[in-house]
Every structure is written in structure tokens, then in C-alpha cells.
Amino acid sequence: MSRSLPRPLRWGVVSTSAPAAGTSHIADAAPESLCAREPHVPADRLVAEMVPPPRFQTARFETYVPDERQPSQAEAVRVLSGFAAGLGGAHAVGTKRRFFGRKPAAPQGPRGIYLDGGYGVGKTHLLASLWHATPAAPEHKAFGTFVELTNLVGALGFQQTVRTLSEHRLLCIDEFELDDPGDTVLVSTLLGKLVEAGVALAATSNTLPGKLGEGRFAAADFLREIQGLSAHFRALRIDGEDYRHRGLPEAPAPYSDEQVAKAAYATEGASLDDFPRLLEHLAKVHPSRYGALTDGLTAVCLTGAEPVPDQSTALRLVVLADRLYDREVPVLASGVPFDRLFSEDMLKGGYRKKYFRAISRLTALARDAAPLVSERQ
């Protein structure tokens, strides 16, 4: 299956928004509404689109800027460069399976690299750089988030997913976090099959592989599966502070509802939604489709941002923030600041690293959105 590099896609998004009366002097049409979109992602395109997202299309080891105060960052570039170079040559294990019909011996030792570190140290940049540096055609390497990987299994079935990904040289998994026991068993089994087939693995997370699931479910009951996952990876720690805010001014304060609405009408390709209503709509769309939900947007404008009411809603918002960040879509909002979207209990719980990542990314996108107001008002 041939694939192209990342690009904006039209995923069959259904939108029912219509121009608002009396707004033609501001824009040609009313803004889009995320709540009016019902994206449908064909299963046969899921693997074909497993490539680095637009934000990381040009990511390379050469463009990663290590913090001189954090030697582990430069070391990560060195280790990953060597790992990529070692993936050249024939896909020997897969070839042996096809031509001789015998089950090959499982490789000894870790077959992958696991990038562990706080949010904002450049893990996704390095993961995308590894994908680009690996000497294989795009159709022989895959890049996706953990959510996208589990969704692929749901769409294709376990055995077909194994057969499809077994032909790959490399599988990169971003935001690797296990939120329930079912995912633990599923991914452990899948990665074991892929390693057996000779596929190299690389993953990013904020949690060491032996600690996945800790604080979120009864990890002790699934210790064997978690330890099995850990055995596939060499953990590579990356220290440092969040580069998105290193030396930059504070994020802009929330705007008024009127400012947000005017900016949305004046910005071609922008969406405009009430924040609480958007949270309700997210519950009706599978998180694997949140990327398609934002397809083609130049900005997301939200009125009435307020603290999220519960953990399930908060986790959906995290996924949306990740997809917006991947696609470099600015976010303009009124209401509470983004660092007040999640409660103190949430920021102290098992998902705290996800919430801090979302705050970091939304803050960066809010900074990107500031010119939408200053240039037009």
C-alpha cells in the first residue's frame, strides 16, 4: 500500500453549519462548528495514514536542539541515530517467514527504544526523526499514537493487524499509556507478535514501561503483561524542561466572548463553538476520529471555557488537545485560563501527566492564536 507524507486530509467529514444572517460584511460565511461535524474514517486508510503528523513532517535529528544543560538530550539523538542506521538492510525475519514457512526464533534482548521523560522535552520530535531517518520506504514503517494503534486493531481485527504490521521495518508509537487492563493485554500480545516477526519498535511516554498503568487500574493484577511490554524496550531517559515555554512570555489571558466570535468570523477556515457543548459532542465521537474532526481548520475558537466536570470528559479533551497540537491549529478561547481546566484532584491523580501535557500544548496553541485578535481588532 503506497503512502504519501503527511498532508491535510478530507476524511468524509459531515458538517451542517450554515452562514449566519447579517455576517457577510465580516466574512464570506459563518465559521465552522466542531459540534456539527460527524467524521467517518474508512478502515482501509488507517494504516496508509500512519505517518508523522503535519507538525513533525520536517522533524529531523539535525533540527532537534538539545538543551546544553541536559546531556541526556544529546545522548538520545546519538542513540536513536544509531538505532535508525541499524534498521537498514533486508527485513530478514519477515523474509524467512515468507519463503520457508517456519516460525523464526524470537530476537534476543530488547527490540525497541522507549523514550521516557516529562512533557515538552521533544520526545515526539525525536520519534518522528527516527521514522524519517529509518532507511525504508514510507509504506514499510508506521507512526501513530497509542489510541490510533488500538483503534487499528478494532477496525482490522487482531490477526489482520498483525499480518499488516509484520511487513513493516519499524513501528513508532507516540503517547504510549495504558488506561485499562484490556489495552494492557491487547498491546502486550500485539507487540510480542510484531517483535517475533522482526519489527523494530519505538515509543514515547511520560511513564517508564515497567510503571505503565500505575495509579490508573490494578496494575499488580496485570504485572506479567506489563513486564512483557517492558522487555521489548530499552528505556532511554530524556531530562529537561518544557521547550514550549522555555524563555517565552506567559500565555495570553482568555479573551471576551465578543473578541473570540469576531476573530472566528474574520478568520477563513476557523471554527466557533461553545466549550461545554463541545465537550458534550466529544462524548459522541470516538477519540480515534478527533484528528478527522479538526480536518481543514485554520483555528479553533471556543467561548465559555470552564473546568471539565469529570475524568472521562477530561481525558477526551486531552486527546483533542493532542490532535490540535499535532496539526498546529491555534486555539482562541474565552472563559477560564487553560491551566484551570483540570481540578486539583485530577492534577494529583494517575492521569496527571496527561493533563499537564494538555495544559502545555493548549497554552502553546493559545500563544499561536493571539495574532487572530491583535491583527483583526
Coordinates of all heavy atoms in Angstrom, one line a residue, residues 58-116:
T58 N 8.7 17.8 9.1 CA 10.0 18.2 8.8 C 11.0 17.9 9.9 O 12.1 18.3 9.9 CB 10.1 19.7 8.4 OG1 9.6 20.4 9.5 CG2 9.3 20.0 7.2
A59 N 10.5 17.1 10.9 CA 11.4 16.9 12.1 C 12.5 16.0 11.7 O 12.3 14.9 11.0 CB 10.5 16.2 13.2
R60 N 13.7 16.3 12.1 CA 14.9 15.6 11.8 C 15.8 15.7 13.0 O 15.7 16.6 13.8 CB 15.7 16.1 10.6 CG 14.9 16.1 9.3 CD 14.6 14.7 8.8 NE 14.0 14.7 7.5 CZ 12.7 14.8 7.2 NH1 11.8 15.0 8.2 NH2 12.3 14.8 5.9
F61 N 16.7 14.7 13.2 CA 17.7 14.8 14.3 C 18.5 16.1 14.2 O 18.8 16.7 15.3 CB 18.7 13.6 14.2 CG 18.0 12.3 14.5 CD1 18.2 11.2 13.7 CD2 17.2 12.1 15.7 CE1 17.6 10.0 13.9 CE2 16.6 10.9 15.9 CZ 16.8 9.8 15.1
E62 N 18.8 16.6 13.0 CA 19.5 17.8 12.9 C 18.8 19.0 13.3 O 19.4 20.0 13.7 CB 20.0 18.0 11.4 CG 20.9 16.9 10.9 CD 20.2 15.6 10.5 OE1 18.9 15.6 10.5 OE2 20.9 14.6 10.3
T63 N 17.4 19.0 13.3 CA 16.7 20.1 13.7 C 16.2 20.1 15.2 O 15.6 21.0 15.7 CB 15.4 20.3 12.9 OG1 14.6 19.1 13.0 CG2 15.8 20.4 11.4
Y64 N 16.6 19.0 15.9 CA 16.4 18.9 17.3 C 17.4 19.7 18.0 O 18.6 19.5 17.8 CB 16.4 17.5 17.8 CG 16.1 17.3 19.3 CD1 14.8 17.3 19.8 CD2 17.2 17.0 20.1 CE1 14.6 17.1 21.2 CE2 17.0 16.8 21.5 CZ 15.7 16.9 22.0 OH 15.5 16.7 23.3
V65 N 17.1 20.6 18.9 CA 18.0 21.5 19.6 C 18.1 21.0 21.1 O 17.3 21.4 21.9 CB 17.6 23.0 19.5 CG1 18.6 23.8 20.2 CG2 17.4 23.4 18.1
P66 N 19.2 20.2 21.4 CA 19.3 19.8 22.8 C 19.6 20.9 23.7 O 20.3 21.9 23.4 CB 20.5 18.8 22.7 CG 20.7 18.5 21.2 CD 20.2 19.7 20.5
D67 N 19.1 20.8 24.9 CA 19.4 21.7 26.0 C 20.8 21.4 26.5 O 21.1 20.3 26.9 CB 18.4 21.6 27.1 CG 18.6 22.7 28.2 OD1 19.7 23.2 28.3 OD2 17.6 22.9 28.9
E68 N 21.7 22.3 26.4 CA 23.1 22.1 26.8 C 23.2 21.7 28.3 O 24.2 21.0 28.7 CB 24.0 23.3 26.5 CG 24.1 23.7 25.1 CD 25.0 24.9 24.8 OE1 25.4 25.5 25.8 OE2 25.3 25.2 23.7
R69 N 22.2 22.0 29.1 CA 22.3 21.7 30.5 C 21.8 20.3 30.7 O 21.8 19.8 31.9 CB 21.4 22.7 31.3 CG 21.9 24.1 31.2 CD 20.9 25.1 31.7 NE 19.6 25.1 30.9 CZ 18.5 25.8 31.2 NH1 18.5 26.6 32.2 NH2 17.5 25.7 30.4
Q70 N 21.3 19.6 29.7 CA 20.7 18.3 29.8 C 21.4 17.3 28.9 O 21.0 17.1 27.7 CB 19.2 18.3 29.5 CG 18.4 19.3 30.4 CD 18.3 18.9 31.8 OE1 18.6 17.8 32.2 NE2 17.9 19.8 32.7
P71 N 22.5 16.7 29.3 CA 23.3 15.8 28.4 C 22.4 14.6 27.9 O 22.8 14.1 26.8 CB 24.4 15.3 29.3 CG 24.5 16.3 30.4 CD 23.1 16.8 30.6
S72 N 21.4 14.2 28.6 CA 20.6 13.1 28.1 C 19.9 13.4 26.8 O 19.6 12.5 26.0 CB 19.5 12.7 29.2 OG 18.6 13.8 29.4
Q73 N 19.7 14.7 26.5 CA 19.0 15.0 25.2 C 20.0 14.8 24.0 O 19.6 14.2 23.0 CB 18.6 16.5 25.2 CG 17.5 16.7 26.3 CD 16.9 18.1 26.2 OE1 17.2 18.9 25.2 NE2 16.0 18.5 27.1
A74 N 21.2 15.2 24.1 CA 22.2 14.9 23.0 C 22.4 13.4 22.9 O 22.6 12.9 21.8 CB 23.5 15.7 23.3
E75 N 22.4 12.7 24.1 CA 22.7 11.3 24.1 C 21.5 10.6 23.4 O 21.7 9.6 22.7 CB 22.8 10.8 25.5 CG 22.9 9.3 25.7 CD 24.2 8.7 25.1 OE1 25.1 9.5 24.7 OE2 24.3 7.5 25.1
A76 N 20.3 11.1 23.6 CA 19.2 10.4 22.9 C 19.3 10.5 21.4 O 19.0 9.6 20.7 CB 17.9 11.1 23.4
V77 N 19.8 11.7 20.9 CA 20.0 11.9 19.4 C 21.0 10.9 19.0 O 20.8 10.2 17.9 CB 20.4 13.3 19.1 CG1 20.8 13.4 17.7 CG2 19.3 14.3 19.5
R78 N 22.1 10.7 19.7 CA 23.1 9.8 19.3 C 22.6 8.3 19.3 O 22.8 7.6 18.3 CB 24.3 9.8 20.3 CG 25.5 9.0 19.9 CD 26.6 8.9 21.0 NE 26.1 8.2 22.1 CZ 26.1 6.8 22.2 NH1 26.5 6.1 21.1 NH2 25.6 6.2 23.2
V79 N 21.9 7.9 20.3 CA 21.4 6.5 20.4 C 20.4 6.3 19.3 O 20.4 5.2 18.6 CB 20.8 6.2 21.8 CG1 20.1 4.9 21.8 CG2 21.9 6.3 22.8
L80 N 19.5 7.2 19.1 CA 18.4 7.0 18.1 C 19.0 7.0 16.7 O 18.5 6.3 15.8 CB 17.3 8.0 18.2 CG 16.5 7.9 19.5 CD1 15.6 9.1 19.7 CD2 15.6 6.7 19.4
S81 N 20.0 7.8 16.4 CA 20.6 7.8 15.1 C 21.2 6.5 14.8 O 21.1 6.0 13.7 CB 21.7 8.9 15.0 OG 21.1 10.2 15.2
G82 N 21.9 5.9 15.8 CA 22.5 4.6 15.6 C 21.4 3.5 15.4 O 21.6 2.6 14.7
F83 N 20.3 3.7 16.2 CA 19.2 2.7 16.1 C 18.7 2.7 14.7 O 18.4 1.7 14.0 CB 18.2 3.0 17.1 CG 17.1 2.0 17.2 CD1 17.3 0.8 17.7 CD2 15.8 2.4 16.7 CE1 16.2 -0.1 17.8 CE2 14.7 1.5 16.8 CZ 15.0 0.2 17.4
A84 N 18.5 3.9 14.1 CA 17.9 4.1 12.7 C 18.9 3.4 11.7 O 18.4 2.7 10.8 CB 17.7 5.5 12.4
A85 N 20.2 3.7 11.9 CA 21.1 3.2 10.9 C 21.1 1.7 11.0 O 21.3 1.0 9.9 CB 22.5 3.7 11.2
G86 N 20.9 1.1 12.1 CA 20.9 -0.4 12.3 C 19.7 -1.0 11.7 O 19.6 -2.3 11.6
L87 N 18.7 -0.3 11.2 CA 17.5 -0.8 10.6 C 17.6 -1.0 9.1 O 16.6 -1.3 8.5 CB 16.3 0.0 11.0 CG 15.9 0.1 12.5 CD1 14.7 1.0 12.7 CD2 15.7 -1.3 13.0
G88 N 18.7 -0.7 8.6 CA 18.9 -0.9 7.1 C 19.1 -2.3 6.8 O 19.2 -3.2 7.6
G89 N 19.1 -2.6 5.5 CA 19.2 -4.0 5.0 C 17.9 -4.7 4.9 O 16.8 -4.1 5.1
A90 N 17.9 -6.0 4.6 CA 16.7 -6.8 4.3 C 16.0 -7.0 5.6 O 16.6 -7.1 6.7 CB 17.1 -8.1 3.7
H91 N 14.7 -7.1 5.5 CA 13.8 -7.5 6.7 C 13.9 -9.0 6.8 O 13.0 -9.7 6.5 CB 12.4 -7.0 6.3 CG 11.5 -7.1 7.5 ND1 11.9 -7.5 8.8 CD2 10.1 -7.0 7.6 CE1 10.8 -7.5 9.6 NE2 9.7 -7.2 8.9
A92 N 15.0 -9.4 7.4 CA 15.4 -10.8 7.4 C 14.4 -11.8 8.0 O 14.1 -12.8 7.5 CB 16.8 -11.0 8.1
V93 N 13.9 -11.4 9.2 CA 12.9 -12.3 9.9 C 11.7 -12.5 9.0 O 11.2 -13.6 8.8 CB 12.6 -11.7 11.3 CG1 11.6 -12.6 12.0 CG2 13.9 -11.7 12.1
G94 N 11.1 -11.4 8.5 CA 9.9 -11.5 7.7 C 10.2 -12.3 6.5 O 9.3 -13.0 6.0
T95 N 11.4 -12.1 5.8 CA 11.7 -12.8 4.6 C 11.7 -14.3 4.9 O 11.2 -15.2 4.1 CB 13.0 -12.4 4.1 OG1 13.0 -11.0 3.8 CG2 13.4 -13.1 2.8
K96 N 12.3 -14.7 6.0 CA 12.4 -16.1 6.3 C 11.1 -16.7 6.5 O 10.8 -17.8 6.1 CB 13.3 -16.3 7.6 CG 13.6 -17.7 8.0 CD 14.4 -17.8 9.2 CE 15.8 -17.3 9.0 NZ 16.6 -17.5 10.2
R97 N 10.2 -16.0 7.2 CA 8.8 -16.5 7.4 C 8.1 -16.7 6.1 O 7.4 -17.7 5.9 CB 8.0 -15.5 8.3 CG 6.6 -15.9 8.5 CD 5.8 -14.8 9.2 NE 6.3 -14.5 10.5 CZ 5.9 -15.2 11.6 NH1 5.0 -16.2 11.4 NH2 6.3 -14.9 12.7
R98 N 8.3 -15.8 5.1 CA 7.5 -15.9 3.9 C 8.0 -17.0 3.0 O 7.3 -17.8 2.4 CB 7.6 -14.6 3.1 CG 6.8 -13.5 3.7 CD 6.7 -12.3 2.8 NE 8.0 -11.7 2.4 CZ 8.5 -10.8 3.1 NH1 8.0 -10.3 4.1 NH2 9.7 -10.3 2.7
F99 N 9.4 -17.2 2.9 CA 9.9 -18.1 1.9 C 10.1 -19.6 2.5 O 10.0 -20.5 1.7 CB 11.3 -17.6 1.4 CG 11.2 -16.5 0.5 CD1 11.3 -15.2 0.9 CD2 10.9 -16.7 -0.9 CE1 11.2 -14.1 0.1 CE2 10.8 -15.6 -1.7 CZ 10.9 -14.3 -1.3
F100 N 10.2 -19.7 3.8 CA 10.4 -21.0 4.3 C 9.3 -21.5 5.2 O 9.2 -22.7 5.5 CB 11.7 -21.1 5.1 CG 13.0 -20.8 4.3 CD1 13.5 -19.5 4.3 CD2 13.5 -21.8 3.5 CE1 14.6 -19.2 3.5 CE2 14.6 -21.5 2.7 CZ 15.2 -20.2 2.7
G101 N 8.3 -20.6 5.5 CA 7.2 -21.0 6.2 C 7.4 -21.5 7.6 O 6.6 -22.2 8.2
R102 N 8.6 -21.1 8.2 CA 8.9 -21.5 9.6 C 8.8 -20.3 10.5 O 9.1 -19.2 10.1 CB 10.3 -22.1 9.6 CG 10.4 -23.4 8.8 CD 11.7 -24.1 9.3 NE 12.9 -23.3 9.1 CZ 13.6 -23.4 8.0 NH1 13.3 -24.1 7.0 NH2 14.7 -22.6 7.9
K103 N 8.4 -20.6 11.7 CA 8.3 -19.6 12.7 C 9.7 -19.2 13.1 O 10.5 -20.1 13.6 CB 7.5 -20.0 13.9 CG 7.4 -19.0 15.0 CD 6.5 -19.6 16.1 CE 6.4 -18.6 17.2 NZ 5.6 -19.1 18.3
P104 N 10.2 -18.0 13.0 CA 11.6 -17.6 13.3 C 11.7 -17.5 14.8 O 10.8 -17.3 15.6 CB 11.8 -16.3 12.7 CG 10.4 -15.7 12.6 CD 9.5 -16.9 12.4
A105 N 13.0 -17.7 15.3 CA 13.3 -17.5 16.7 C 13.1 -16.1 17.1 O 13.4 -15.2 16.3 CB 14.7 -18.0 17.0
A106 N 12.5 -15.9 18.2 CA 12.4 -14.5 18.7 C 13.7 -13.8 19.0 O 14.6 -14.5 19.5 CB 11.5 -14.5 20.0
P107 N 13.9 -12.6 18.6 CA 15.1 -11.9 18.8 C 15.4 -11.8 20.3 O 14.6 -11.8 21.1 CB 14.8 -10.5 18.2 CG 13.7 -10.7 17.3 CD 12.9 -11.8 17.9
Q108 N 16.7 -11.9 20.6 CA 17.2 -11.8 22.0 C 17.3 -10.4 22.4 O 17.8 -9.6 21.7 CB 18.5 -12.6 22.1 CG 18.4 -14.1 21.8 CD 17.4 -14.8 22.7 OE1 17.5 -14.7 23.9 NE2 16.6 -15.6 22.1
G109 N 16.9 -10.1 23.7 CA 17.0 -8.7 24.2 C 16.0 -7.8 23.6 O 15.2 -8.1 22.8
P110 N 16.0 -6.5 24.1 CA 15.1 -5.5 23.6 C 15.1 -5.3 22.1 O 16.2 -5.3 21.5 CB 15.5 -4.2 24.4 CG 16.3 -4.8 25.6 CD 16.9 -6.0 25.1
R111 N 14.0 -5.1 21.5 CA 13.9 -4.9 20.1 C 13.4 -3.5 19.8 O 13.1 -3.1 18.7 CB 12.9 -5.9 19.5 CG 12.7 -5.8 18.0 CD 13.9 -6.0 17.1 NE 13.5 -5.9 15.7 CZ 14.5 -5.8 14.8 NH1 15.7 -5.8 15.1 NH2 14.1 -5.7 13.5
G112 N 13.4 -2.6 20.8 CA 12.9 -1.3 20.6 C 13.5 -0.3 21.6 O 14.3 -0.6 22.5
I113 N 13.2 1.0 21.3 CA 13.6 2.1 22.2 C 12.4 2.8 22.8 O 11.4 3.0 22.1 CB 14.4 3.1 21.3 CG1 15.7 2.5 20.7 CG2 14.7 4.4 22.1 CD1 16.8 2.3 21.7
Y114 N 12.5 3.0 24.1 CA 11.4 3.7 24.8 C 11.9 5.0 25.3 O 12.8 5.1 26.2 CB 11.0 2.7 25.9 CG 9.7 3.1 26.6 CD1 8.5 2.4 26.2 CD2 9.6 4.1 27.5 CE1 7.3 2.7 26.8 CE2 8.3 4.4 28.1 CZ 7.2 3.7 27.7 OH 6.0 4.0 28.3
L115 N 11.3 6.1 24.8 CA 11.7 7.4 25.2 C 10.9 7.9 26.4 O 9.7 8.1 26.2 CB 11.6 8.4 24.0 CG 12.3 8.0 22.7 CD1 12.1 9.1 21.7 CD2 13.8 7.9 23.0
D116 N 11.5 8.0 27.5 CA 10.8 8.4 28.7 C 11.2 9.8 29.2 O 12.4 10.1 29.1 CB 11.0 7.4 29.9 CG 10.4 7.9 31.2 OD1 9.2 7.9 31.3 OD2 11.2 8.3 32.1

